[in-house]
Amino acid sequence: MAAFDEVKFKKLEEAHAKHLIVGIADAAGVAPRQDIDVFLDKNPQTFNLLLIALYELQNDKNTKDPMGYFQIAGIHGAPKASWDGFGLKQNAGNTSEEQDPSGYCAHSTPKFPTWHRPYLSMMEQTLYIKMVHLAKQYKPELVAGYLQAAQQFRLPFWDYFRPRGGRVSFPGVFDSGETTFPYDYSLPQILTEENISVHMYPDDTLKRLDRNPFKYYSFISDSIPKKDWDVFAKDTKFFPRSRTARYPSPNSEKIVENPVMMNQVINELRMDSNRLVLTMMEDEIYGYYDGFASGAKQQNPIPEPPNQSKATEFVRSWPSGSLESLHGMYHVLVGGFGAYNEAGGHMSRVGVAAFDPVFWLHHCQIDRLFAIWQAIHYKKPQSWFSSRSKAAEGLLPFRKVPGNKPENCWTSNDSVTTEKFGYNYPVINGGTGTDVWKRFNDMYVWSVPLLNTDPWRDPPEEMKPLVLSKSDFFKEPAVAQKETNGTNGTSGTPKPKVEAQHVILSQRVLPKAVQVKAAIPPMLIQAAAAPAGPASAPTAPSPAAAVATPEAPVSQAPTSSAPTPEFSREWYIDDEVHRLALNGAFTIFYLLLPPSSPLPPLSSLSSSTLLLSPYLAGLTHIFAAPTQSCDNCGQHAEQAHTVRNTVPITSLLLDFVATGTLASLEPEDVKPFLVERLKWRVVGVNGEGVDGRVMGRERGLRVGVSCKVGKLPRGSGVERYEEFPEVGEEILGRASERATGG
């Protein structure tokens, strides 16, 4: 870590005043970005500065400052205006003055990960400068310590796959009606608290802020014109305009959020998301930059599919999942979903997502996964843009030298390394190739079973949940003063034994079994309550230890005389669809319903009907903006631009195997099972539903099934990928509105 240097800081300030994005490497050296819980725990003094800086930047009523929070967030969409007079749109075909100067985002293009890298650096640079100014406002004897703390600052990331606390339960297909995980993967506590405390300048006393700047952003009145808001949702009952919200409840006089549902869905879909990320880092088929980076359907498949000669079925020649697809799903997992009389929150919408503070942590995680992939595939010829000219295009509007010209901006080639901007990620640690992959794999493979007989394993030491509830950030000042342990939020806290991080927050504790079952919508409760398999099928505490008796500890493997298989199978639902099929963001929900259970009609559909169903297998979220608000999206609509996604469903299939409902994960068992049970519902972010058959005929929706055959243990290599187009064709051939969401 570099010592604070006033001369270098002044140089950075001069560039900042010219609205240039130069990063903080020269002023603060290169330092690691950390998970937000680790950052809070290990660097409390730096985190204290960050909280105050974020709070004051958000409270700034000058919405015209190009380097202020409002204008930086607005680059992602709303308001519909140019940033700092930079009217040349990134994907525009002409540069006339009459052209609407909006729509800088590079979604669904190979520039998706590289465009967001200088964007994150822009916010990091702004926060760092603010933090240095704050450090200088403390008492003289405290200034040096706080200046050095500012040098340690880098934007934190939200690691979706890091456990935050203890055991959680949510609806499942077992006789008990629930599935249990030994660890909680909810949104980090610091992102959901209503109020937090900080050690405020000048005298470092603990002060309670009137709101938590990581929970939401309050919009300055009229900062976004009504006509721009109306593009997203005309009915203000469903979509708040006063502040950002996650899972907003409709028809409320004040903004009411549903954090229980949010955390439940994050936990429910975490395992298969983790499974997909491990696959994307490991498998050769994801080793091509264009396919890994973007969800856009590729026109040129890879030259030679891996191990094609070993295939027994049609072999996939291009990945259907991508980093961008994963990113879109987590946007909606945090923001919330549309349904009848419901609308998703701000994180679910391109134009206003960046105003929610969690956006920056979410995108740091996406940048981290991108950087890890880059390190694993270091110097491989296919690990960069297939179009060298695209890699040299300017990433508007991120200028590194003065002048509103594309050639003055960062390019993807400029953004290839993180160190240029002043940060790195600990898991990479200067390594490349197999070394990085092994470190990454060791951090996460413990929580992703491949067989229903796999035991839960304990996390490595670095991944164990941190106890943060005793930090001063979460205390009332009066309570903190009464404590006698002599520590505070900026000097460290005692560390008791690991316990659930969220135990002190009743609104964050997931429901007990009876509450979960009561929350299941009436249309699905009968099917959920009925045993999914034979009466003798065991009730399992988790999909990973599904055949263990209830008395057996989760971490113990069940007794079995069966030989260990040589291969594993991981199953996916693959889809492709026109990105602007609904002129904005939308979600495709996939459920494995019992044959006698139809999808509920649109007139009674609620998000809880889908999200609280024990049969929810996964989802695809298309993160797109209305054409009226984004030129990039407008061009995609004109071109009928198609995106591809993959939805891992192995975890739910393992649960069905455990109950005896599904015999095995072999194709002869899974294919008819999916034909009989797989149904889907297409719902827009504002609750508009579309018949799946119409989506297929007119909007490019195609649904298929594929399977990865991998050697055991994980990491030993991929035997082959198999596709089964006949499964999707048979489902569509038998489709009615009951099957595809009419």
Side-chain angles (χ1 to χ4, degrees):
M1 180 188 65
F4 180 76
D5 185 315
E6 187 68 40
V7 174
K8 290 182 177 180
F9 178 71
K10 290 296 184 184
K11 183 179 177 182
L12 174 62
E13 277 195 307
E14 291 171 4
H16 194 76
K18 297 175 183 176
H19 313 153
L20 305 180
I21 294 86
V22 296
I24 61 176
D26 187 55
V30 177
R33 285 180 178 172
Q34 303 176 80
D35 173 80
I36 190 167
D37 280 357
V38 176
F39 184 29
L40 186 158
D41 185 60
K42 305 299 183 187
N43 304 94
Q45 195 171 25
T46 307
F47 198 84
N48 186 74
L49 280 176
L50 171 59
L51 284 170
I52 301 172
L54 187 61
Y55 177 82
E56 294 192 359
L57 284 170
Q58 290 176 354
N59 284 350
D60 187 356
K61 299 194 182 303
N62 177 16
T63 60
K64 304 298 183 183
D65 178 6
M67 303 302 280
Y69 189 92
F70 179 85
Q71 284 288 323
I72 294 176
I75 288 173
H76 210 258
K80 192 176 181 182
S82 64
W83 176 82
D84 200 29
F86 209 145
L88 301 182
K89 295 187 285 185
Q90 178 180 10
N91 297 286
N94 68 73
T95 59
S96 65
E97 291 300 320
E98 292 77 20
Q99 191 178 27
D100 195 354
S102 62
Y104 298 109
C105 285
H107 294 103
S108 199
T109 77
K111 292 186 283 189
F112 161 74
T114 55
W115 184 89
H116 284 85
R117 189 161 276 178
Y119 190 32
L120 292 169
S121 181
M122 185 182 192
M123 180 61 79
E124 193 167 58
Q125 177 178 306
T126 295
L127 283 165
Y128 168 74
I129 290 173
K130 180 69 174 177
M131 290 168 67
V132 170
H133 286 297
L134 290 173
K136 294 178 179 180
Q137 296 185 53
Y138 283 86
K139 289 181 176 179
E141 62 269 24
L142 300 174
V143 169
Y146 270 111
L147 283 175
Q148 203 57 25
Q151 294 296 92
Q152 297 176 328
F153 164 71
R154 299 298 182 274
L155 275 175
F157 57 85
W158 164 37
D159 185 351
Y160 321 132
F161 313 127
R162 181 186 182 87
R164 308 291 164 179
R167 187 179 299 269
V168 293
S169 299
F170 46 83
V173 298
F174 299 102
D175 289 349
S176 63
E178 67 174 2
T179 294
T180 301
F181 282 174
Y183 291 99
D184 175 15
Y185 293 86
S186 295
L187 201 66
Q189 179 180 348
I190 191 64
L191 303 181
T192 61
E193 289 283 291
E194 286 291 341
N195 300 101
I196 46 91
S197 298
V198 296
H199 288 264
M200 185 59 76
Y201 57 85
D203 53 8
D204 213 29
T205 56
L206 197 64
K207 176 183 177 181
R208 197 73 162 170
L209 298 181
D210 60 2
R211 65 175 183 84
N212 176 3
F214 272 120
K215 180 171 172 58
Y216 63 84
Y217 169 79
S218 293
F219 291 98
I220 307 299
S221 179
D222 299 324
S223 56
I224 296 180
K226 180 179 181 300
K227 63 180 178 62
D228 290 354
W229 280 118
D230 288 347
V231 169
F232 302 114
K234 291 187 176 181
D235 196 332
T236 57
K237 292 185 297 184
F238 303 131
F239 184 49
R241 300 185 180 186
S242 60
R243 72 165 179 86
T244 59
R246 305 162 192 163
Y247 288 73
S249 298
N251 301 313
S252 300
E253 292 184 5
K254 63 178 183 177
I255 296 174
V256 177
E257 299 173 303
N258 192 341
V260 171
M261 183 180 292
M262 174 185 67
N263 285 326
Q264 180 165 299
V265 178
I266 288 172
N267 271 287
E268 189 170 1
L269 299 181
R270 187 277 318 167
M271 182 183 288
D272 275 330
S273 300
N274 197 345
R275 188 187 305 279
L276 177 61
V277 168
L278 287 169
T279 293
M280 290 166 67
M281 296 298 176
E282 172 188 1
D283 291 2
E284 183 181 348
I285 201 168
Y286 286 96
Y288 293 75
Y289 173 82
D290 288 0
F292 169 81
S294 170
K297 184 177 179 180
Q298 306 298 322
Q299 299 302 314
N300 300 307
I302 59 180
E304 184 68 26
N307 301 312
Q308 185 171 11
S309 61
K310 298 182 179 180
T312 57
E313 300 284 349
F314 180 78
V315 179
R316 179 189 292 178
S317 60
W318 194 269
S320 57
S322 67
L323 182 68
E324 184 177 11
S325 300
L326 177 79
H327 139 272
M329 188 185 78
Y330 270 91
H331 263 284
V332 76
L333 291 186
V334 175
F337 300 82
Y340 180 70
N341 278 341
E342 297 179 55
H346 296 72
M347 268 289 284
S348 303
R349 304 162 187 269
V350 175
V352 289
F355 289 101
D356 189 323
V358 75
F359 172 93
W360 303 98
L361 282 70
H362 162 52
H363 267 278
C364 274
Q365 168 73 346
I366 294 299
D367 182 74
R368 171 177 176 256
L369 295 176
F370 174 39
I372 293 167
W373 183 91
Q374 287 181 290
I376 292 172
H377 297 85
Y378 181 67
K379 286 192 175 180
K380 292 182 179 179
Q382 67 270 30
S383 64
W384 201 231
F385 286 68
S386 61
S387 170
R388 299 310 188 199
S389 62
K390 288 286 184 185
E393 289 179 353
L395 303 174
L396 276 62
F398 308 121
R399 297 178 301 229
K400 55 181 182 178
V401 295
N404 285 351
K405 298 178 181 180
E407 56 266 31
N408 293 338
C409 294
W410 288 86
T411 68
S412 297
N413 287 334
D414 296 331
S415 306
V416 70
T417 65
T418 65
E419 286 78 7
K420 281 188 178 181
F421 297 98
Y423 70 92
N424 54 26
Y425 294 103
V427 67
I428 299 174
N429 196 29
T432 58
T434 304
D435 291 341
V436 175
W437 175 83
K438 186 179 186 308
R439 284 197 291 268
F440 183 79
N441 190 67
D442 289 347
M443 289 176 69
Y444 301 107
V445 72
W446 61 275
S447 64
V448 182
L450 292 172
L451 307 171
N452 70 303
T453 54
D454 283 351
W456 272 104
R457 287 173 281 176
D458 291 330
E461 194 65 32
E462 64 180 319
M463 295 298 290
K464 289 182 178 178
L466 297 170
V467 180
L468 305 174
S469 57
K470 296 191 177 183
S471 165
D472 276 8
F473 299 124
F474 303 114
K475 294 177 183 176
E476 290 280 0
V479 174
Q481 290 174 5
K482 292 179 181 179
E483 294 184 350
T484 58
N485 58 22
T487 63
N488 60 49
T490 61
S491 61
T493 57
K495 291 182 172 54
K497 293 181 180 179
V498 172
E499 58 188 32
Q501 178 191 145
H502 310 136
V503 70
I504 62 169
L505 301 168
S506 59
Q507 73 270 24
R508 293 179 55 84
V509 178
L510 292 177
K512 299 295 184 183
V514 63
Q515 295 171 310
V516 169
K517 286 188 282 189
I520 298 174
M523 278 199 183
L524 296 178
I525 196 167
Q526 184 175 2
S536 60
T539 299
S542 74
V547 299
T549 61
E551 292 78 16
V554 173
S555 60
Q556 292 183 1
T559 302
S560 174
S561 58
T564 301
E566 185 180 355
F567 301 102
S568 66
R569 285 188 176 270
E570 296 182 81
W571 286 87
Y572 307 90
I573 299 170
D574 303 311
D575 59 49
E576 63 178 54
V577 67
H578 293 169
R579 183 168 180 256
L580 272 296
L582 298 189
N583 192 29
F586 62 95
T587 306
I588 307 171
F589 297 90
Y590 294 103
L591 299 101
L592 302 183
L593 292 170
S596 59
S597 298
L599 280 169
L602 288 172
S603 58
S604 62
L605 184 68
S606 68
S607 58
S608 61
T609 305
L610 300 169
L611 300 177
L612 296 179
S613 169
Y615 304 105
L616 177 65
L619 58 89
T620 284
H621 183 68
I622 306 300
F623 192 58
T627 58
Q628 307 95 301
S629 67
C630 175
D631 175 70
N632 182 30
C633 296
Q635 292 191 39
H636 285 172
E638 293 173 3
Q639 300 162 1
H641 184 77
T642 299
V643 290
R644 302 187 70 182
N645 301 274
T646 196
V647 181
I649 59 172
T650 307
S651 297
L652 185 57
L653 292 179
L654 284 172
D655 287 357
F656 279 118
V657 171
T659 64
T661 311
L662 176 63
S664 75
L665 294 188
E666 293 301 313
E668 58 267 27
D669 295 317
V670 174
K671 288 163 60 178
F673 184 85
L674 293 178
V675 168
E676 188 175 44
R677 288 175 171 260
L678 177 58
K679 299 177 175 69
W680 55 87
R681 167 72 74 189
V682 182
V683 186
V685 72
N686 288 318
E688 64 276 27
V690 181
D691 188 323
R693 296 164 298 176
V694 174
M695 291 288 292
R697 288 195 305 266
E698 302 175 8
R699 305 178 193 185
L701 177 61
R702 301 289 182 269
V703 177
V705 171
S706 63
C707 176
K708 169 188 171 181
V709 182
K711 296 179 182 178
L712 289 174
R714 180 185 282 277
S716 302
V718 180
E719 181 71 3
R720 62 185 176 273
Y721 273 90
E722 300 170 355
E723 286 190 330
F724 306 99
E726 69 274 14
V727 174
E729 291 167 2
E730 186 170 352
I731 293 173
L732 288 171
R734 298 168 49 181
S736 66
E737 64 181 42
R738 292 175 57 179
T740 60

